[in-house]
Amino acid sequence: MASVIADEKSYNVPALCVRLGLAGGSADDAHRSKFRYAQQRIMALDAPAVIAAAKALLLEQPRDDLVEAVAMIDELPGPNITPLTRRRLMALFDGAPLSTELDHLELIRKVWPIDTMPSGYERDDWTMTDRLFQHTVRNDDMSNREILEALGWLTCSRARLFRFLEEVTGPEAQTPERQAELAGKIDAVLVHDGYRLVVAGKMSGSPVYAVKAAPVGSPADDAISDKLRGFDPTEVAGRWQEAMDSREASPGRAITLARTLLEDVCKWIITEAGETYREGDDLPALYRQLSKLLKLAPDDHTEQVFKQILGACQSVVESLGALRNKLGDAHSLGPRRARPLPRHAALAVTLSGGMATFLVETWQARKGEAAAAGAG
């Protein structure tokens, strides 16, 4: 902060310090050493006052180094992004271009002020733009890992890191296929530090992602997420994530997504099994077809306890379909209908995720049994 103030003309420094809430003084004192003048007055403040002064200074001098320093202070109370997570995220860009649709320097320029950043390397008169152009355009001898390390990826603020993740997964930066793949992989890494990469909007029909603090859910959430991500990391896992993220803010949306998640899983497994379904089939019809395929119908078992459990599963599926029609956001609730609450959404989403996981694991077990029988 003192170095930013010291960049002012000495005769302006006293007035600037006063505007920032620092003690006043004479222009002669500032002329002898602008940095020492500012530093002495900053040291006289307590921590909250220093932060307030720094934010006030940003309004007059939006210097990138000061922006980063203030951001890091503001981020102290939140969950940290560990160096291990940063390295795992960095590894996602190994062997692939940073962007498939946008020039890589243009993408980087959205996040880092590379035209004014020192290169930290080679000639003193080079900016970071000069360095990156030399080693990624003129000579292709700088890996994505080296690029990100040079930009300060491992030590930058969470705000800057998250902004890059949002820009690099944006629809202007990636093809739809690469966007979905990359977003799923980034989300799978971030979740371990308490964050998620979620769909925050649309641009011309394509998703726009944002990093958000992960909502606190049930202990089963992570296990279901891992299983569904392994089954289908984009559509099915994405639907589950949307349902979880909507539980508190949009219960009706969460209930609709809970039903859609089960429809997705039923259709995927039926298709993988080489069978077809009618486009007009609703969730109960799809589940009945799948339960026969996986031998999950109560009549497929003789033991009463299994009949009861599988009958209860069928009831859960049918109830989710009915709940969506009554409380989901697919239809108008009208002025007299009951409004879903977050606890209703949490129940629907948890039941849907549990059933989806059960169906996926049963299908994988059936494939394993068939493969073993074929090998025998």
Side-chain angles (χ1 to χ4, degrees), residues 6-65:
D7 285 341
E8 279 286 331
K9 299 291 185 182
S10 59
Y11 52 79
N12 288 333
V13 167
L16 173 59
C17 287
V18 171
R19 290 199 302 275
L20 299 178
L22 307 180
S26 69
D28 289 340
D29 291 339
H31 183 70
R32 280 190 286 271
S33 174
K34 294 181 290 182
F35 181 85
R36 187 180 302 110
Y37 181 97
Q39 185 72 1
Q40 288 174 344
R41 285 155 177 78
I42 292 170
M43 294 295 292
L45 301 179
D46 59 17
V50 172
I51 295 171
K55 291 181 177 180
L57 180 58
L58 280 177
L59 297 177
E60 300 197 27
Q61 299 286 344
R63 281 255 302 261
D64 184 71
D65 53 352

Short mmCIF file of all heavy atoms in Angstrom, two decimals, residues 6-65:
data_model
loop_
_atom_site.label_atom_id
_atom_site.label_comp_id
_atom_site.label_asym_id
_atom_site.label_seq_id
_atom_site.Cartn_x
_atom_site.Cartn_y
_atom_site.Cartn_z
N ALA A 6 3.34 5.97 -2.75
CA ALA A 6 4.62 6.60 -3.12
C ALA A 6 4.73 6.88 -4.61
O ALA A 6 5.60 7.65 -5.03
CB ALA A 6 5.78 5.73 -2.65
N ASP A 7 3.89 6.28 -5.42
CA ASP A 7 3.91 6.56 -6.86
C ASP A 7 3.29 7.91 -7.19
O ASP A 7 3.41 8.39 -8.32
CB ASP A 7 3.18 5.45 -7.61
CG ASP A 7 3.99 4.17 -7.70
OD1 ASP A 7 5.22 4.26 -7.51
OD2 ASP A 7 3.40 3.10 -7.95
N GLU A 8 2.58 8.51 -6.23
CA GLU A 8 1.99 9.83 -6.43
C GLU A 8 3.08 10.91 -6.39
O GLU A 8 4.17 10.71 -5.84
CB GLU A 8 0.96 10.11 -5.34
CG GLU A 8 -0.40 9.48 -5.58
CD GLU A 8 -1.20 10.19 -6.67
OE1 GLU A 8 -1.02 11.41 -6.86
OE2 GLU A 8 -2.00 9.50 -7.33
N LYS A 9 2.78 12.08 -6.94
CA LYS A 9 3.66 13.23 -6.79
C LYS A 9 3.74 13.59 -5.31
O LYS A 9 2.75 13.51 -4.57
CB LYS A 9 3.13 14.43 -7.58
CG LYS A 9 3.02 14.18 -9.08
CD LYS A 9 4.38 14.06 -9.73
CE LYS A 9 4.25 13.95 -11.25
NZ LYS A 9 5.57 13.79 -11.91
N SER A 10 4.90 14.00 -4.85
CA SER A 10 5.10 14.24 -3.42
C SER A 10 4.14 15.30 -2.88
O SER A 10 3.68 15.20 -1.75
CB SER A 10 6.55 14.65 -3.15
OG SER A 10 6.90 15.82 -3.86
N TYR A 11 3.82 16.32 -3.70
CA TYR A 11 2.93 17.37 -3.21
C TYR A 11 1.48 16.89 -3.11
O TYR A 11 0.64 17.55 -2.49
CB TYR A 11 3.03 18.63 -4.08
CG TYR A 11 2.84 18.40 -5.57
CD1 TYR A 11 1.58 18.23 -6.14
CD2 TYR A 11 3.95 18.38 -6.40
CE1 TYR A 11 1.44 18.03 -7.49
CE2 TYR A 11 3.82 18.17 -7.76
CZ TYR A 11 2.55 18.00 -8.31
OH TYR A 11 2.40 17.79 -9.66
N ASN A 12 1.16 15.72 -3.72
CA ASN A 12 -0.19 15.16 -3.62
C ASN A 12 -0.33 14.15 -2.48
O ASN A 12 -1.45 13.80 -2.08
CB ASN A 12 -0.58 14.45 -4.93
CG ASN A 12 -0.85 15.43 -6.05
OD1 ASN A 12 -1.24 16.57 -5.79
ND2 ASN A 12 -0.64 14.98 -7.28
N VAL A 13 0.80 13.65 -1.98
CA VAL A 13 0.76 12.56 -1.00
C VAL A 13 0.03 12.93 0.28
O VAL A 13 -0.80 12.16 0.77
CB VAL A 13 2.19 12.04 -0.73
CG1 VAL A 13 2.21 11.14 0.51
CG2 VAL A 13 2.72 11.30 -1.94
N PRO A 14 0.29 14.11 0.91
CA PRO A 14 -0.41 14.41 2.16
C PRO A 14 -1.93 14.41 2.00
O PRO A 14 -2.65 13.86 2.85
CB PRO A 14 0.12 15.80 2.54
CG PRO A 14 1.48 15.86 1.92
CD PRO A 14 1.33 15.14 0.61
N ALA A 15 -2.43 15.03 0.95
CA ALA A 15 -3.88 15.09 0.74
C ALA A 15 -4.44 13.69 0.49
O ALA A 15 -5.53 13.34 0.98
CB ALA A 15 -4.22 16.01 -0.42
N LEU A 16 -3.70 12.87 -0.26
CA LEU A 16 -4.15 11.51 -0.52
C LEU A 16 -4.24 10.72 0.78
O LEU A 16 -5.22 10.01 1.04
CB LEU A 16 -3.19 10.82 -1.49
CG LEU A 16 -3.44 9.32 -1.74
CD1 LEU A 16 -4.83 9.07 -2.30
CD2 LEU A 16 -2.37 8.74 -2.68
N CYS A 17 -3.24 10.86 1.63
CA CYS A 17 -3.25 10.13 2.91
C CYS A 17 -4.44 10.55 3.76
O CYS A 17 -5.09 9.71 4.40
CB CYS A 17 -1.94 10.39 3.67
SG CYS A 17 -0.52 9.53 2.96
N VAL A 18 -4.75 11.82 3.77
CA VAL A 18 -5.90 12.29 4.54
C VAL A 18 -7.19 11.69 4.00
O VAL A 18 -8.07 11.26 4.76
CB VAL A 18 -5.96 13.83 4.54
CG1 VAL A 18 -7.28 14.33 5.14
CG2 VAL A 18 -4.78 14.41 5.32
N ARG A 19 -7.32 11.64 2.67
CA ARG A 19 -8.53 11.06 2.07
C ARG A 19 -8.67 9.58 2.43
O ARG A 19 -9.78 9.05 2.51
CB ARG A 19 -8.50 11.20 0.55
CG ARG A 19 -8.67 12.61 0.05
CD ARG A 19 -9.09 12.66 -1.40
NE ARG A 19 -8.17 11.99 -2.30
CZ ARG A 19 -7.08 12.59 -2.83
NH1 ARG A 19 -6.79 13.84 -2.48
NH2 ARG A 19 -6.30 11.94 -3.66
N LEU A 20 -7.56 8.92 2.66
CA LEU A 20 -7.58 7.50 2.99
C LEU A 20 -7.77 7.25 4.49
O LEU A 20 -7.83 6.09 4.91
CB LEU A 20 -6.27 6.83 2.54
CG LEU A 20 -5.96 6.88 1.04
CD1 LEU A 20 -4.62 6.22 0.78
CD2 LEU A 20 -7.06 6.21 0.24
N GLY A 21 -7.85 8.33 5.27
CA GLY A 21 -8.02 8.17 6.71
C GLY A 21 -6.71 8.10 7.47
O GLY A 21 -6.69 7.74 8.66
N LEU A 22 -5.61 8.43 6.81
CA LEU A 22 -4.30 8.45 7.48
C LEU A 22 -4.04 9.84 8.04
O LEU A 22 -4.69 10.83 7.68
CB LEU A 22 -3.20 8.06 6.49
CG LEU A 22 -3.39 6.75 5.71
CD1 LEU A 22 -2.21 6.52 4.78
CD2 LEU A 22 -3.55 5.58 6.67
N ALA A 23 -3.06 9.92 8.90
CA ALA A 23 -2.72 11.20 9.52
C ALA A 23 -2.17 12.16 8.49
O ALA A 23 -1.53 11.77 7.51
CB ALA A 23 -1.71 11.00 10.65
N GLY A 24 -2.41 13.46 8.71
CA GLY A 24 -1.91 14.47 7.80
C GLY A 24 -0.45 14.78 8.04
O GLY A 24 0.19 14.25 8.95
N GLY A 25 0.10 15.69 7.25
CA GLY A 25 1.50 16.08 7.37
C GLY A 25 1.83 17.12 6.32
O GLY A 25 0.95 17.58 5.58
N SER A 26 3.08 17.49 6.21
CA SER A 26 3.49 18.53 5.27
C SER A 26 4.03 17.92 3.99
O SER A 26 4.51 16.80 3.96
CB SER A 26 4.57 19.41 5.91
OG SER A 26 5.77 18.69 6.05
N ALA A 27 3.97 18.72 2.93
CA ALA A 27 4.52 18.29 1.65
C ALA A 27 6.03 18.11 1.74
O ALA A 27 6.60 17.26 1.04
CB ALA A 27 4.15 19.31 0.57
N ASP A 28 6.68 18.92 2.60
CA ASP A 28 8.14 18.78 2.75
C ASP A 28 8.49 17.40 3.31
O ASP A 28 9.46 16.77 2.87
CB ASP A 28 8.68 19.86 3.69
CG ASP A 28 8.66 21.24 3.04
OD1 ASP A 28 8.59 21.29 1.80
OD2 ASP A 28 8.69 22.23 3.79
N ASP A 29 7.71 16.92 4.30
CA ASP A 29 7.96 15.58 4.85
C ASP A 29 7.79 14.52 3.77
O ASP A 29 8.59 13.58 3.67
CB ASP A 29 7.00 15.30 6.01
CG ASP A 29 7.29 16.14 7.23
OD1 ASP A 29 8.44 16.62 7.34
OD2 ASP A 29 6.37 16.32 8.05
N ALA A 30 6.75 14.67 2.98
CA ALA A 30 6.51 13.70 1.91
C ALA A 30 7.59 13.75 0.85
O ALA A 30 7.96 12.72 0.26
CB ALA A 30 5.14 13.96 1.28
N HIS A 31 8.11 14.97 0.60
CA HIS A 31 9.13 15.12 -0.44
C HIS A 31 10.42 14.39 -0.06
O HIS A 31 11.11 13.86 -0.93
CB HIS A 31 9.42 16.61 -0.65
CG HIS A 31 10.39 16.86 -1.76
ND1 HIS A 31 10.08 16.65 -3.09
CD2 HIS A 31 11.68 17.30 -1.73
CE1 HIS A 31 11.14 16.95 -3.83
NE2 HIS A 31 12.12 17.35 -3.03
N ARG A 32 10.75 14.35 1.24
CA ARG A 32 11.98 13.67 1.66
C ARG A 32 11.91 12.17 1.39
O ARG A 32 12.90 11.57 0.97
CB ARG A 32 12.23 13.96 3.14
CG ARG A 32 12.85 15.32 3.40
CD ARG A 32 13.31 15.45 4.84
NE ARG A 32 12.18 15.61 5.74
CZ ARG A 32 11.66 16.79 6.07
NH1 ARG A 32 12.15 17.90 5.53
NH2 ARG A 32 10.65 16.86 6.91
N SER A 33 10.76 11.54 1.65
CA SER A 33 10.58 10.12 1.34
C SER A 33 9.08 9.82 1.33
O SER A 33 8.46 9.70 2.40
CB SER A 33 11.29 9.22 2.35
OG SER A 33 10.96 7.85 2.10
N LYS A 34 8.53 9.71 0.16
CA LYS A 34 7.09 9.44 0.04
C LYS A 34 6.74 8.10 0.66
O LYS A 34 5.71 7.96 1.34
CB LYS A 34 6.67 9.48 -1.43
CG LYS A 34 6.80 10.84 -2.07
CD LYS A 34 6.34 10.83 -3.52
CE LYS A 34 7.31 10.05 -4.40
NZ LYS A 34 6.90 10.08 -5.84
N PHE A 35 7.59 7.11 0.44
CA PHE A 35 7.31 5.77 0.96
C PHE A 35 7.31 5.78 2.49
O PHE A 35 6.40 5.24 3.13
CB PHE A 35 8.33 4.76 0.43
CG PHE A 35 8.10 3.35 0.92
CD1 PHE A 35 7.21 2.51 0.26
CD2 PHE A 35 8.74 2.88 2.06
CE1 PHE A 35 6.99 1.22 0.72
CE2 PHE A 35 8.52 1.60 2.53
CZ PHE A 35 7.64 0.76 1.85
N ARG A 36 8.36 6.39 3.09
CA ARG A 36 8.45 6.43 4.55
C ARG A 36 7.30 7.23 5.14
O ARG A 36 6.74 6.86 6.17
CB ARG A 36 9.79 7.01 4.98
CG ARG A 36 10.01 6.92 6.48
CD ARG A 36 11.34 7.50 6.92
NE ARG A 36 12.46 6.82 6.25
CZ ARG A 36 13.23 7.38 5.33
NH1 ARG A 36 13.00 8.64 4.96
NH2 ARG A 36 14.22 6.71 4.78
N TYR A 37 6.92 8.30 4.46
CA TYR A 37 5.80 9.13 4.92
C TYR A 37 4.53 8.28 5.01
O TYR A 37 3.83 8.32 6.03
CB TYR A 37 5.61 10.28 3.92
CG TYR A 37 4.50 11.25 4.27
CD1 TYR A 37 4.76 12.44 4.92
CD2 TYR A 37 3.18 10.97 3.92
CE1 TYR A 37 3.74 13.34 5.23
CE2 TYR A 37 2.15 11.84 4.22
CZ TYR A 37 2.44 13.03 4.87
OH TYR A 37 1.43 13.92 5.18
N ALA A 38 4.25 7.52 3.97
CA ALA A 38 3.03 6.70 3.96
C ALA A 38 3.14 5.53 4.93
O ALA A 38 2.19 5.21 5.66
CB ALA A 38 2.78 6.17 2.54
N GLN A 39 4.31 4.90 4.97
CA GLN A 39 4.50 3.73 5.81
C GLN A 39 4.31 4.06 7.29
O GLN A 39 3.68 3.31 8.04
CB GLN A 39 5.89 3.13 5.57
CG GLN A 39 6.15 1.84 6.31
CD GLN A 39 5.39 0.66 5.73
OE1 GLN A 39 4.67 0.80 4.75
NE2 GLN A 39 5.53 -0.50 6.33
N GLN A 40 4.85 5.19 7.73
CA GLN A 40 4.71 5.58 9.14
C GLN A 40 3.25 5.78 9.52
O GLN A 40 2.81 5.40 10.60
CB GLN A 40 5.50 6.88 9.40
CG GLN A 40 7.00 6.68 9.39
CD GLN A 40 7.75 8.00 9.50
OE1 GLN A 40 7.18 9.08 9.30
NE2 GLN A 40 9.05 7.90 9.82
N ARG A 41 2.46 6.33 8.63
CA ARG A 41 1.05 6.58 8.93
C ARG A 41 0.22 5.31 8.84
O ARG A 41 -0.76 5.13 9.58
CB ARG A 41 0.52 7.66 7.97
CG ARG A 41 1.01 9.04 8.36
CD ARG A 41 1.07 10.03 7.21
NE ARG A 41 1.48 11.35 7.72
CZ ARG A 41 2.74 11.67 8.02
NH1 ARG A 41 3.70 10.76 7.86
NH2 ARG A 41 3.03 12.86 8.49
N ILE A 42 0.60 4.41 7.98
CA ILE A 42 -0.10 3.12 7.90
C ILE A 42 0.17 2.31 9.17
O ILE A 42 -0.74 1.69 9.73
CB ILE A 42 0.37 2.34 6.66
CG1 ILE A 42 -0.11 3.04 5.38
CG2 ILE A 42 -0.16 0.89 6.68
CD1 ILE A 42 0.50 2.50 4.11
N MET A 43 1.41 2.33 9.66
CA MET A 43 1.78 1.56 10.84
C MET A 43 1.04 2.04 12.08
O MET A 43 0.91 1.31 13.06
CB MET A 43 3.29 1.63 11.07
CG MET A 43 4.12 0.94 9.98
SD MET A 43 3.84 -0.84 9.93
CE MET A 43 4.57 -1.32 11.50
N ALA A 44 0.54 3.26 12.07
CA ALA A 44 -0.17 3.80 13.24
C ALA A 44 -1.61 3.31 13.31
O ALA A 44 -2.28 3.54 14.32
CB ALA A 44 -0.15 5.33 13.19
N LEU A 45 -2.10 2.64 12.27
CA LEU A 45 -3.48 2.19 12.23
C LEU A 45 -3.60 0.75 12.70
O LEU A 45 -2.65 -0.04 12.61
CB LEU A 45 -4.03 2.29 10.80
CG LEU A 45 -4.01 3.66 10.13
CD1 LEU A 45 -4.58 3.55 8.72
CD2 LEU A 45 -4.82 4.68 10.95
N ASP A 46 -4.79 0.38 13.18
CA ASP A 46 -5.05 -1.03 13.46
C ASP A 46 -5.42 -1.74 12.16
O ASP A 46 -5.61 -1.10 11.12
CB ASP A 46 -6.14 -1.20 14.52
CG ASP A 46 -7.48 -0.58 14.12
OD1 ASP A 46 -7.68 -0.30 12.92
OD2 ASP A 46 -8.34 -0.38 15.01
N ALA A 47 -5.50 -3.06 12.22
CA ALA A 47 -5.69 -3.86 11.00
C ALA A 47 -6.96 -3.49 10.24
O ALA A 47 -6.92 -3.31 9.01
CB ALA A 47 -5.68 -5.35 11.35
N PRO A 48 -8.14 -3.37 10.89
CA PRO A 48 -9.35 -3.01 10.13
C PRO A 48 -9.22 -1.66 9.43
O PRO A 48 -9.70 -1.49 8.30
CB PRO A 48 -10.44 -2.98 11.20
CG PRO A 48 -9.95 -3.90 12.28
CD PRO A 48 -8.48 -3.68 12.30
N ALA A 49 -8.56 -0.70 10.08
CA ALA A 49 -8.40 0.61 9.46
C ALA A 49 -7.46 0.55 8.25
O ALA A 49 -7.66 1.25 7.25
CB ALA A 49 -7.86 1.62 10.49
N VAL A 50 -6.43 -0.29 8.34
CA VAL A 50 -5.52 -0.46 7.20
C VAL A 50 -6.27 -1.04 6.01
O VAL A 50 -6.11 -0.60 4.87
CB VAL A 50 -4.33 -1.36 7.59
CG1 VAL A 50 -3.50 -1.70 6.35
CG2 VAL A 50 -3.45 -0.67 8.62
N ILE A 51 -7.10 -2.04 6.27
CA ILE A 51 -7.87 -2.66 5.19
C ILE A 51 -8.83 -1.65 4.57
O ILE A 51 -8.97 -1.57 3.35
CB ILE A 51 -8.64 -3.88 5.73
CG1 ILE A 51 -7.66 -4.96 6.18
CG2 ILE A 51 -9.57 -4.45 4.65
CD1 ILE A 51 -8.30 -6.11 6.93
N ALA A 52 -9.49 -0.85 5.42
CA ALA A 52 -10.40 0.17 4.91
C ALA A 52 -9.65 1.18 4.05
O ALA A 52 -10.13 1.62 3.00
CB ALA A 52 -11.12 0.86 6.07
N ALA A 53 -8.46 1.57 4.49
CA ALA A 53 -7.66 2.52 3.73
C ALA A 53 -7.22 1.93 2.39
O ALA A 53 -7.22 2.62 1.36
CB ALA A 53 -6.44 2.94 4.55
N ALA A 54 -6.85 0.67 2.41
CA ALA A 54 -6.43 0.01 1.16
C ALA A 54 -7.58 -0.05 0.16
O ALA A 54 -7.38 0.18 -1.05
CB ALA A 54 -5.92 -1.40 1.47
N LYS A 55 -8.78 -0.34 0.64
CA LYS A 55 -9.94 -0.39 -0.26
C LYS A 55 -10.27 1.00 -0.80
O LYS A 55 -10.67 1.15 -1.96
CB LYS A 55 -11.13 -1.01 0.47
CG LYS A 55 -10.95 -2.49 0.75
CD LYS A 55 -12.17 -3.09 1.44
CE LYS A 55 -11.98 -4.60 1.64
NZ LYS A 55 -13.14 -5.22 2.32
N ALA A 56 -10.11 2.02 0.05
CA ALA A 56 -10.33 3.38 -0.42
C ALA A 56 -9.30 3.76 -1.48
O ALA A 56 -9.62 4.43 -2.47
CB ALA A 56 -10.27 4.36 0.76
N LEU A 57 -8.05 3.30 -1.28
CA LEU A 57 -6.99 3.60 -2.25
C LEU A 57 -7.29 2.94 -3.59
O LEU A 57 -6.98 3.50 -4.66
CB LEU A 57 -5.65 3.14 -1.69
CG LEU A 57 -4.42 3.37 -2.57
CD1 LEU A 57 -4.27 4.85 -2.92
CD2 LEU A 57 -3.16 2.86 -1.88
N LEU A 58 -7.88 1.75 -3.55
CA LEU A 58 -8.20 1.05 -4.79
C LEU A 58 -9.16 1.84 -5.66
O LEU A 58 -9.16 1.72 -6.89
CB LEU A 58 -8.80 -0.33 -4.49
CG LEU A 58 -7.82 -1.44 -4.14
CD1 LEU A 58 -8.56 -2.71 -3.80
CD2 LEU A 58 -6.85 -1.68 -5.30
N LEU A 59 -10.02 2.65 -5.04
CA LEU A 59 -10.95 3.47 -5.81
C LEU A 59 -10.22 4.53 -6.62
O LEU A 59 -10.70 4.97 -7.67
CB LEU A 59 -11.97 4.13 -4.88
CG LEU A 59 -12.89 3.16 -4.11
CD1 LEU A 59 -13.80 3.93 -3.16
CD2 LEU A 59 -13.71 2.31 -5.07
N GLU A 60 -9.05 4.95 -6.10
CA GLU A 60 -8.27 5.96 -6.81
C GLU A 60 -7.16 5.36 -7.65
O GLU A 60 -6.84 5.87 -8.72
CB GLU A 60 -7.67 6.95 -5.79
CG GLU A 60 -8.71 7.69 -4.96
CD GLU A 60 -8.13 8.92 -4.29
OE1 GLU A 60 -7.15 9.49 -4.82
OE2 GLU A 60 -8.66 9.33 -3.24
N GLN A 61 -6.57 4.26 -7.15
CA GLN A 61 -5.45 3.62 -7.84
C GLN A 61 -5.72 2.12 -7.92
O GLN A 61 -5.25 1.37 -7.07
CB GLN A 61 -4.14 3.88 -7.09
CG GLN A 61 -3.76 5.34 -6.97
CD GLN A 61 -3.27 5.91 -8.29
OE1 GLN A 61 -2.94 5.17 -9.22
NE2 GLN A 61 -3.22 7.22 -8.40
N PRO A 62 -6.45 1.66 -8.91
CA PRO A 62 -6.77 0.22 -8.99
C PRO A 62 -5.59 -0.62 -9.48
O PRO A 62 -5.65 -1.30 -10.50
CB PRO A 62 -7.93 0.19 -10.00
CG PRO A 62 -7.72 1.40 -10.86
CD PRO A 62 -7.10 2.45 -9.97
N ARG A 63 -4.52 -0.58 -8.72
CA ARG A 63 -3.30 -1.34 -9.06
C ARG A 63 -3.52 -2.82 -8.81
O ARG A 63 -4.07 -3.21 -7.78
CB ARG A 63 -2.13 -0.84 -8.22
CG ARG A 63 -1.51 0.46 -8.72
CD ARG A 63 -0.18 0.16 -9.38
NE ARG A 63 0.73 -0.51 -8.49
CZ ARG A 63 1.71 0.11 -7.82
NH1 ARG A 63 1.87 1.41 -7.91
NH2 ARG A 63 2.52 -0.58 -7.03
N ASP A 64 -3.03 -3.64 -9.73
CA ASP A 64 -3.29 -5.07 -9.63
C ASP A 64 -2.67 -5.68 -8.38
O ASP A 64 -3.30 -6.53 -7.74
CB ASP A 64 -2.75 -5.78 -10.88
CG ASP A 64 -3.07 -7.26 -10.87
OD1 ASP A 64 -4.24 -7.62 -11.05
OD2 ASP A 64 -2.15 -8.06 -10.64
N ASP A 65 -1.47 -5.27 -8.02
CA ASP A 65 -0.85 -5.85 -6.83
C ASP A 65 -1.63 -5.54 -5.57
O ASP A 65 -1.75 -6.37 -4.66
CB ASP A 65 0.61 -5.40 -6.70
CG ASP A 65 0.77 -3.89 -6.75
OD1 ASP A 65 -0.23 -3.19 -7.03
OD2 ASP A 65 1.90 -3.40 -6.53
#
